[in-house]
Structures are given as structure tokens and as C-alpha cells.
């Protein structure tokens, strides 16, 4: 049984600079050195995922952390496009958002989000939640390769 933990590529789609800093801090302090790439809007996320323009050499993420309320193309549209795309649909997407609206939760799961997590407003809780997501997808879940 292989117990080695391979670092994973994570794409954070988040427009709030404060949440980006907190997420980076949670990743930096964690035991596995996962690679975190960050984009700040939905259109940029799709260019990254499809390796278009400036992102021609972007790594394929093993996991996407997706905010719902984004400029230019909202997170719900990003999720819908990812899951409709034959080459992207196997990438797990965790919705990480401030919205606790039942309609957002239902719609996200109907669009095949792998998990829906509400961002805690408390700094320490936010860090803890991001670390738990990170640990879960690194240590527990078997991710598809490319």
C-alpha cells in the first residue's frame, strides 16, 4: 500500500484579496506543499483551465476551490462550464463561498459540485476549514491523474 502523499495542484478562483491571503496562509502552513494557483474572475478561471492565452503552460489542477460571487463570469457559470466540458469534468470542484442560500447550495450540487463549504468569517476557523479541505483531498480522496 502506497502511503506517500503527492502534492496536488489547486486552482483558487477568488476575487477577495483578503480570502486569497488567508487561503495561501492555510496552504503555506500545512504539512504538504501543494501548489496553489490563483485567478480572480470566472473568465480567467476558464482560460486557466483550458490553458488559453497567458495560461498555455498552466498546470492542470487536481482540485478547484471556487467562489460563487465573481466578476465577469460568476462561479455558478464556471461550475456549469467545467462540468459540461469533457476534458475538465473530472476535476473536483469545491464551492467555497460566503453564501448560505439554499438555492446556491442546491444549484451547486445540481451542477455537480463535489462539495459546498461556507466560508467562516472568523480568521482561525477560515484557516482550519481550508486546511481540512486540503487534507481531505490530499490524504483521503483518490484523485484522477490528468
Amino acid at each position: 500500500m502506497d502511503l506517500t502523499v503527492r502534492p496536488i495542484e489547486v486552482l483558487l478562483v477568488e476575487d477577495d484579496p483578503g480570502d486569497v491571503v488567508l487561503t495561501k496562509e492555510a496552504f503555506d502552513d500545512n504539512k504538504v506543499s501543494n501548489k496553489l494557483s490563483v485567478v480572480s474572475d470566472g473568465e480567467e478561471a476558464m482560460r486557466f483551465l483550458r490553458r488559453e492565452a497567458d495560461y498555455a503552460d498552466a498546470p492542470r489542477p487536481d482540485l478547484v476551490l471556487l467562489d460563487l460571487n465573481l466578476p465577469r463570469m460568476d462561479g455558478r457559470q464556471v461550475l456549469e462550464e467545467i462540468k459540461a466540458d469533457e476534458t475538465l469534468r473530472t476535476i473536483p470542484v469545491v464551492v467555497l463561498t460566503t453564501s448560505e442560500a439554499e438555492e446556491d447550495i442546491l444549484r451547486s450540487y445540481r451542477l455537480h459540485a463535489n462539495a459546498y463549504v461556507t466560508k467562516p468569517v472568523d480568521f482561525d476557523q477560515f484557516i482550519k476549514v481550508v486546511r481540512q479541505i486540503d487534507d481531505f483531498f490530499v490524504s483521503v480522496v483518490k484523485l484522477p491523474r490528468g
Side-chain angles (χ1 to χ4, degrees):
M1 187 165 138
D2 183 12
L3 295 177
T4 58
V5 177
R6 176 185 73 92
I8 64 170
E9 296 281 346
V10 180
L11 175 62
L12 174 63
V13 187
E14 174 60 70
D15 65 318
D16 183 318
D19 287 349
V20 170
V21 168
L22 289 177
T23 305
K24 283 182 175 180
E25 190 169 310
F27 270 74
D28 288 346
D29 291 345
N30 222 350
K31 59 187 170 291
V32 179
S33 55
N34 293 327
K35 172 93 171 53
L36 183 67
S37 300
V38 181
V39 295
S40 60
D41 69 59
E43 288 179 3
E44 193 180 1
M46 294 314 300
R47 283 195 305 277
F48 185 101
L49 289 163
R50 292 183 174 136
R51 297 177 177 148
E52 297 172 346
D54 292 345
Y55 298 109
D57 296 323
R60 177 184 167 91
D62 296 301
L63 173 65
V64 175
L65 299 179
L66 178 66
D67 186 21
L68 289 183
N69 302 309
L70 297 167
R72 297 173 72 196
M73 174 191 278
D74 123 322
R76 297 156 194 84
Q77 294 169 286
V78 172
L79 179 59
E80 189 168 9
E81 281 200 33
I82 289 171
K83 296 304 181 178
D85 187 310
E86 188 71 34
T87 61
L88 302 176
R89 71 171 50 135
T90 58
I91 300 171
V93 177
V94 173
V95 173
L96 183 60
T97 187
T98 54
S99 174
E100 294 185 31
E102 188 66 23
E103 64 193 63
D104 283 335
I105 297 167
L106 279 172
R107 183 166 179 206
S108 294
Y109 281 118
R110 284 187 182 127
L111 292 172
H112 307 287
N114 296 83
Y116 190 101
V117 179
T118 304
K119 291 180 197 171
V121 288
D122 175 72
F123 169 82
D124 291 328
Q125 280 299 111
F126 184 92
I127 298 281
K128 185 177 176 185
V129 163
V130 171
R131 283 187 187 145
Q132 287 173 335
I133 293 168
D134 188 34
D135 287 342
F136 181 69
F137 278 93
V138 170
S139 304
V140 180
V141 174
K142 291 290 181 209
L143 295 170
R145 301 273 184 221

